[in-house]
Amino acid sequence: MAVYDRIGITYAETCRPDPRIDAAIRRALGGARSVVNVGAGSGSYEPPETVLAVEPSAVMIGQRPAGLAPAVQATAEAIPLEDAAVDAALAVLTIHHWPDLKRGFAEMRRVSRRVVVLTWDPDFARSFWLSGEYLPAEAVEWDVARCPPLESVRRLIGPGNRGDARPGTA
């Protein structure tokens, strides 16, 4: 069972999009014309260029509003797209839920020409605005315990992807 099948029942009602996060995603995507949204959740940060949303939780897929890209119940480790199918693969606040980071990032690189990840550095999570203003306190503690260090994320994403991996850049 996907974690969000249990904890995400009211996600679309309680987690509202933040314009700072949206702006950071748009900057990072640049001119991408086609995007796969990996760990898409309820679609809060889904750019209009999204051609497919990949989400393991049926509960989260069920909360997606009409008009968003088609969603498939799948994981980051097995993205159902052909090689180089999209300009960008996007993962927003999701990588700490993946059972196999290495495989998930390999899949994102396989299906896209660019990998965009919005995450945070667990060493700074408690002082980052996202933790204090956006996420509930219990979620911060749960997420921080599972969030990989930024240096690991950089290595796993691989060469050719520019990283704005500084605390507070979102």
Side-chain angles (χ1 to χ4, degrees):
M1 171 194 283
V3 170
Y4 276 89
D5 281 348
R6 192 176 64 255
I7 67 173
I9 295 169
T10 60
Y11 189 89
E13 298 168 19
T14 58
C15 289
R16 298 287 179 214
D18 185 284
R20 294 168 287 188
I21 294 172
D22 191 56
I25 291 166
R26 297 207 180 279
R27 277 192 311 272
L29 287 172
R33 294 177 309 212
S34 58
V35 175
V36 60
N37 188 2
V38 181
S42 62
S44 298
Y45 295 106
E46 195 153 289
E49 300 82 10
T50 302
V51 297
L52 183 66
V54 173
E55 172 56 46
S57 168
V59 167
M60 295 301 280
I61 291 171
Q63 295 179 65
R64 294 171 59 79
L68 292 181
V72 61
Q73 191 171 4
T75 66
E77 296 85 1
I79 300 171
L81 289 174
E82 299 294 321
D83 293 356
V86 293
D87 291 334
L90 172 67
V92 177
L93 302 173
T94 184
I95 65 172
H96 56 288
H97 295 290
W98 298 358
D100 186 342
L101 281 172
K102 184 176 180 180
R103 182 71 186 137
F105 284 125
E107 275 291 277
M108 289 179 77
R109 288 191 313 274
R110 180 186 67 77
V111 302
S112 71
R113 289 171 276 294
R114 183 175 197 179
V115 173
V116 174
V117 176
L118 179 72
T119 190
W120 60 87
D121 186 330
D123 292 338
F124 293 90
R126 289 173 188 86
S127 62
F128 187 33
W129 71 263
L130 184 84
S131 303
E133 299 173 30
Y134 184 72
L135 297 170
E138 62 276 5
V140 172
E141 293 308 314
W142 191 90
D143 289 348
V144 165
R146 289 156 183 78
C147 195
L150 287 184
E151 192 51 44
S152 296
V153 173
R154 280 192 201 109
R155 277 194 311 276
L156 290 167
I157 289 174
N161 284 283
R162 183 181 64 82
D164 287 334
R166 298 180 311 265
T169 59

